[in-house]
Amino acid sequence: MSSDDDSGDGRMIAWRLERLARVMRAREHEDGLTPAQREALRYLARANRYSNTPGALTRYLGATKGTVSQTVMALERKGYIAKAGRNARKAVHLSLTEKGLGVLDGDPWANLAVAAGELGGKTRRRMQRGLEDLLEGELKRAGLASFGLCASCRYFREKGRDGDAKGPHLCMLFEAALSDDDAGRICVEHASAG
């Protein structure tokens, strides 16, 4: 089979995705971090204020509470994350420290994102759409949360809080103002608008 065979065999697509994931996972062991720790850091860098909790991280990673607890403790011990809101009335929220943000600068997946950005526009758009469709289908089959961007959620209202100092947009689920930055973050409560 030639490398430019465009028959669209699904097995070849799946094989290439699997191989790419394995190559990336092997590179994630740099800097004394595990792949799970790196994934937790990437998640926290993208999560909104409603989704930066250990519970949301557990759902995102599809791991057990114990595994995520160990991951969080290790990242906190290494100085990559900080906890806030530790009392009984307030959920624990996790945030990246400067050191945590710094380690993401050299993250193998960030390098892959740069390489993906260098693909031709048509290839990049088709690949993005195809991967979105595959991911959405697998999440539905597994009954998992989408963790999509706030701006693509059915609860999001652009300019729903115009004039609010906390942000011009509205999350109807939490009845909260959202900034432009919030709108570009992922949420544990995301519900597809379509």
Side-chain angles (χ1 to χ4, degrees):
M1 183 180 289
S2 73
S3 63
D4 53 5
D5 180 12
D6 65 354
S7 65
D9 185 344
R11 292 173 298 173
M12 293 306 294
I13 293 169
W15 178 80
R16 286 182 174 106
L17 286 172
E18 178 189 24
R19 180 72 177 128
L20 179 60
R22 287 192 187 284
V23 168
M24 297 307 295
R25 286 289 186 229
R27 295 186 56 215
E28 287 185 309
H29 288 279
E30 300 166 359
D31 301 323
L33 292 169
T34 67
Q37 291 169 351
R38 280 190 186 275
E39 194 167 4
L41 292 174
R42 283 192 300 272
Y43 170 79
L44 291 171
R46 297 181 63 210
N48 68 15
R49 65 184 179 259
Y50 304 108
S51 305
N52 63 352
T53 65
L57 179 59
T58 300
R59 285 180 63 192
Y60 183 81
L61 294 178
T64 65
K65 288 180 183 179
T67 298
V68 170
S69 178
Q70 292 297 317
T71 298
V72 167
M73 286 190 304
L75 290 172
E76 187 177 28
R77 188 174 54 253
K78 292 176 182 183
Y80 293 121
I81 65 170
K83 291 181 181 176
R86 299 174 199 223
N87 64 40
R89 300 174 75 198
K90 195 171 183 183
V92 172
H93 289 272
L94 308 170
S95 61
L96 294 177
T97 63
E98 288 299 318
K99 186 177 178 183
L101 288 169
V103 79
L104 287 177
D105 289 339
D107 184 58
W109 288 91
N111 296 331
L112 182 64
V114 170
E118 293 170 352
L119 295 172
K122 191 179 212 180
T123 299
R124 194 174 55 248
R125 286 187 298 276
R126 284 182 175 171
M127 181 179 282
Q128 181 175 335
R129 182 66 196 152
L131 289 173
E132 285 171 358
D133 290 348
L134 283 172
L135 178 60
E136 184 177 327
E138 287 303 309
L139 290 172
K140 281 182 182 176
R141 276 187 280 287
L144 299 172
S146 69
F147 284 88
L149 298 179
C150 286
S152 69
C153 181
R154 71 178 179 179
Y155 299 116
F156 179 80
R157 294 297 177 265
E158 187 172 17
K159 305 292 185 194
R161 285 271 174 107
D162 227 2
D164 191 321
K166 293 181 182 176
H169 312 300
L170 171 67
C171 173
M172 291 177 28
L173 179 65
F174 293 111
E175 297 181 9
L178 299 171
S179 67
D180 288 332
D181 181 61
D182 292 329
R185 293 189 173 272
I186 59 176
C187 184
V188 66
E189 299 296 339
H190 181 268
S192 182

